[in-house]
Amino acid sequence: MPEEKASQARGGYFGPYGGRFVPETLMSALAQLEREYRAAMADEGFRAEFERCLREIAGRPSELYFARRLTEHVGGARIYLKREDMNHTGAHKINNTLGQALLALRMGKERVIAETGAGQHGVATAMAAAVFGLRCEVYMGTEDIRRQALNVFRMELMGARVVPVESGQRTLKDACNEALRDWMASVEHTHYIIGSVVGPAPYPEMVREFQSCIGREARRQMLEAEGRLPDLIVACVGGGSNAAGIFAPMIADEQVRMVGVEAGGRSMKLGDHAASLVAGEPGVLHGSLSYVLQDDEGQTAPVHSVSAGLDYPGVGPEHAYWKDIGRVTYTTCTDEQAIDALCLLARTEGIIPALESAHAVREAVRLAAEMEPDQIVLINLSGRGDKDCNEIAEILKRRETKES
Ligand SMILES: *Cc1c(COP(=O)(O)O)cnc(C)c1O
């Protein structure tokens, strides 16, 4: 299919990364998805409907919040938070699931499936499916089901079926594999709502576009509040969708420095972290070429993070490209540092961030301390920490017993 090759070369790659490495059965589904996505984005009616959903269902625009007490505590640059934690369902994931659910309707599909790690994408998918009357099944590793029992319950309350995944490490990567397997057999009537800027083309570009409302709003809100753009934007990176969403609309503004923070876990030993960009090598995972954590034989390595949402051995191909061209710097934050940052934000601002977002808070605070008071740091607060409270309580209890 020469036409498909051409569109792939045009839209599917970010430098050498991205592409469409999938079995033949999925090629036509991806081509259809790409056609429908491009037609939808060119359709005023679709865009207006998406805007309406973001407003009425997600509760957008999310606030740009000046963190006065955190700024005073740090004693450096002025720190702002983009409050994705205030969205309905508690994270940025809803921006993407609303967009993709609308696309599923447009394609006449009656069922959606999703993979989920922390459960946030599963909850956002279940919610969108309930709103639009779509059948919904969510693949989730049993290790994550254990860690995120509340989100499992929320999905089921909204009518989704949670499918436990027992293979591999029983976390996000394994859930992705099972969801792809389902899609190969169900593609006629099912749309697969991928939860981040990963997977085969057109997913990385499409998810980045649906998440770009974050950066477009932040850009406008920043200009209103400060009359200029931030000096630095910091976001956590799992698959990379909240980061891509806030970075993309300001990526052409060269004066804006950008930092992505990956999960440094327990240590930088392979298996102890999930820092694909910082410590991985180029490889193919879930249908696209990007940085992947792999062992000496090229097998995808096990990963660890205190936050289920960052626990993924791959990363979006556009981030791989931004890393290689030096536009965005990528770094890590350990489990312990993330927990400390979570406690700091809770005490100074009364905001309990998701453990994922706490990774960004930690690095932003570290950098802000070295900056001048007339400089501006913007943190993408990707989600709220309610879902993590049980896990945090256990960790803090363990810390206490260790100290005494
Ligand atoms: C899922 C999730 C992430 C990680 O996913 P990205 O695609 O990297 O954004 C980060 N923060 C929260 C709150 C999440 O739910």
Side-chain angles (χ1 to χ4, degrees):
M1 279 180 281
E3 191 192 312
E4 191 179 305
K5 279 231 174 71
S7 73
Q8 181 181 357
R10 189 179 67 240
Y13 280 89
F14 308 91
Y17 302 108
R20 196 177 273 172
F21 298 83
V22 295
E24 202 54 48
T25 38
L26 288 184
M27 273 302 196
S28 65
L30 290 167
Q32 183 206 11
L33 179 61
E34 172 145 19
R35 264 195 318 275
E36 291 287 343
Y37 162 67
R38 302 224 179 272
M41 294 315 267
D43 175 353
E44 282 297 326
F46 180 89
R47 296 182 82 105
E49 178 67 0
F50 181 43
E51 289 294 322
R52 186 189 66 79
C53 289
L54 289 177
R55 209 170 48 241
E56 293 180 6
I57 301 171
R60 303 202 73 86
S62 68
E63 289 294 323
L64 177 73
Y65 173 80
F66 175 55
R68 186 179 56 83
R69 292 198 64 232
L70 180 64
T71 297
E72 282 168 12
H73 173 88
V74 173
R78 297 162 63 78
I79 302 172
Y80 281 84
L81 309 175
K82 181 62 174 160
R83 298 292 304 274
E84 293 300 300
D85 61 313
M86 301 281 270
N87 295 338
H88 177 41
T89 69
H92 66 289
K93 298 281 186 347
I94 188 173
N95 306 323
N96 170 45
T97 60
L98 286 173
Q100 289 201 49
L102 285 176
L103 261 186
L105 289 180
R106 201 185 152 100
M107 292 185 289
K109 310 236 160 146
E110 68 214 27
R111 174 177 177 262
V112 291
I113 55 171
E115 82 295 334
T116 198
Q120 290 301 104
H121 176 58
V123 166
T125 302
M127 185 283 307
V131 169
F132 298 120
L134 296 159
R135 265 199 305 139
C136 177
E137 287 180 62
V138 179
Y139 287 87
M140 190 170 188
T142 49
E143 173 60 14
D144 288 332
I145 288 178
R146 183 191 66 76
R147 291 196 286 186
Q148 304 288 343
L150 180 60
N151 273 343
V152 174
F153 185 64
R154 291 166 80 199
M155 286 184 258
E156 289 171 347
L157 271 182
M158 289 185 283
R161 194 167 79 87
V162 177
V163 187
V165 175
E166 290 281 2
S167 55
Q169 254 196 313
R170 300 189 286 265
T171 60
L172 186 54
K173 173 184 75 95
D174 315 295
C176 282
N177 288 335
E178 290 306 316
L180 274 170
R181 198 162 300 156
D182 178 315
W183 202 35
M184 281 193 270
S186 64
V187 73
E188 289 295 309
H189 57 81
T190 295
H191 173 60
Y192 177 15
I193 301 187
I194 292 185
S196 191
V197 287
V198 301
Y203 282 101
E205 177 193 334
M206 180 173 73
V207 176
R208 181 251 283 150
E209 269 314 293
F210 289 147
Q211 290 292 359
S212 286
C213 54
I214 304 173
R216 277 196 304 272
E217 283 173 13
R219 189 175 207 291
R220 176 172 51 74
Q221 291 165 322
M222 208 66 189
L223 290 172
E224 271 166 28
E226 292 276 356
R228 66 185 184 89
L229 296 179
D231 298 281
L232 170 67
I233 307 178
V234 186
C236 66
V237 176
S241 68
N242 85 87
I246 199 164
F247 291 165
M250 289 180 266
I251 205 91
D253 299 289
E254 278 168 28
Q255 75 276 22
V256 182
R257 218 174 118 203
M258 296 178 182
V259 173
V261 187
E262 298 191 300
R266 290 180 289 247
S267 82
M268 286 310 286
K269 207 174 89 209
L270 196 66
D272 270 2
H273 62 84
S276 326
L277 288 160
V278 169
E281 302 277 345
V284 171
L285 180 65
H286 298 136
S288 67
L289 176 71
S290 185
Y291 281 80
V292 180
L293 287 167
Q294 35 198 318
D295 63 20
D296 294 338
E297 272 123 53
Q299 293 296 313
T300 309
V303 280
H304 161 83
S305 170
V306 69
S307 58
L310 300 184
D311 214 348
Y312 182 66
V315 67
E318 195 163 21
H319 286 289
Y321 176 64
W322 286 336
K323 173 190 156 87
D324 282 13
I325 63 170
R327 178 63 187 91
V328 181
T329 308
Y330 296 89
T331 183
T332 59
C333 161
T334 66
D335 289 349
E336 293 289 319
Q337 290 167 337
I339 287 159
D340 289 342
L342 180 145
C343 294
L344 175 65
L345 191 64
R347 282 195 214 112
T348 53
E349 297 290 347
I351 297 170
I352 303 171
L355 276 169
E356 293 84 0
S357 323
H359 286 69
V361 173
R362 145 76 196 187
E363 182 62 13
V365 161
R366 195 182 73 77
L367 293 170
E370 299 164 356
M371 292 165 68
E372 300 300 324
D374 64 348
Q375 291 187 293
I376 302 167
V377 173
L378 170 61
I379 303 172
N380 197 13
L381 208 72
S382 54
R384 69 175 88 120
D386 306 38
K387 68 181 174 63
D388 297 318
C389 279
N390 283 338
E391 186 90 4
I392 299 161
E394 271 177 40
I395 292 167
L396 293 181
K397 211 186 315 160
R398 252 180 275 144
R399 259 194 200 178
E400 252 172 48
T401 41
K402 221 186 267 170
E403 274 161 20
S404 59

